[in-house]
Amino acid sequence: MPNILATRIDNRLVHGQVGMTWTSWLGANLVLVADDILAEDKVQQNLMDMVLADGVQSRYFSVQKTIDVIHKASPKQKIFLVCRTPQTVLALVEGGVPISAVNVGNLHFAEGKKQIDKTVSVTEDDIRCFKALVEKGIPCTVQGIPADAKKDILSLL
């Protein structure tokens, strides 16, 4: 069983809050980004690696590769799983990735989205995915940084 310490949805993927604050707070030694676009973009990967805490490794896998290899992770790997969207997290769960809870950090506002918290805006499909995750017994909470109070996403919809 892979040692997934936390799963975060953040459309910025790896940035200061993820690379330093969350990894240090969790005690993670591996940030695994499951994202089809970033898996192919070495320049963005290198930029994101620059904000990782000392001693923290990174992997940038497609959604399918994450599903295929996550169960081969060493128990010594303390994994912080980061995804861009709730659709990605739902696909991982449906693919057998053992996600026990979801932290929602940032989903940018855009045309057609409803703002539900200061850093979280959702589409109807995002709402469908969050409801599906909760129905599978996976709590989803909004929390920017560890010091912030957790807010149940369904109470914000």
Side-chain angles (χ1 to χ4, degrees):
M1 186 68 91
N3 187 8
I4 300 172
L5 303 177
T7 301
R8 180 176 173 98
I9 295 172
D10 193 318
N11 61 344
R12 301 166 296 175
L13 298 171
V14 180
H15 53 89
Q17 284 179 352
V18 167
M20 296 294 287
T21 307
W22 279 101
T23 54
S24 297
W25 186 78
L26 290 167
N29 60 17
L30 174 65
V31 174
L32 193 164
V33 178
D35 187 77
D36 291 342
I37 297 167
L38 191 61
E40 302 298 321
D41 190 336
K42 299 292 183 205
V43 172
Q44 286 298 313
Q45 292 174 21
N46 289 334
L47 289 171
M48 290 184 182
D49 282 348
M50 291 168 45
V51 300
L52 292 176
D54 287 341
V56 177
Q57 296 184 324
S58 63
R59 301 287 186 277
Y60 300 96
F61 293 157
S62 68
V63 174
Q64 188 58 53
K65 183 170 182 178
T66 303
I67 291 166
D68 293 343
V69 304
I70 193 76
H71 292 284
K72 297 176 186 172
S74 164
K76 294 177 185 172
Q77 291 176 311
K78 298 174 185 172
I79 302 168
F80 183 22
L81 180 59
V82 180
C83 303
R84 191 183 306 261
T85 67
Q87 291 79 3
T88 299
V89 174
L90 185 57
L92 292 172
V93 168
E94 290 174 344
V97 176
I99 293 171
S100 59
V102 176
N103 161 263
V104 183
N106 197 72
L107 289 170
H108 287 312
F109 181 78
E111 187 76 31
K113 286 188 162 190
K114 171 179 136 181
Q115 186 170 359
I116 61 168
D117 200 60
K118 65 181 179 181
T119 63
V120 179
S121 297
V122 294
T123 64
E124 287 301 317
D125 194 53
D126 294 338
I127 293 168
R128 176 193 65 80
C129 291
F130 284 124
K131 287 180 177 178
L133 289 164
V134 171
E135 285 173 12
K136 293 177 182 297
I138 301 167
C140 299
T141 55
V142 174
Q143 185 182 22
I145 59 173
D148 292 344
K150 291 181 182 180
K151 300 175 194 169
D152 179 73
I153 196 135
L154 293 185
S155 70
L156 300 172
L157 299 177

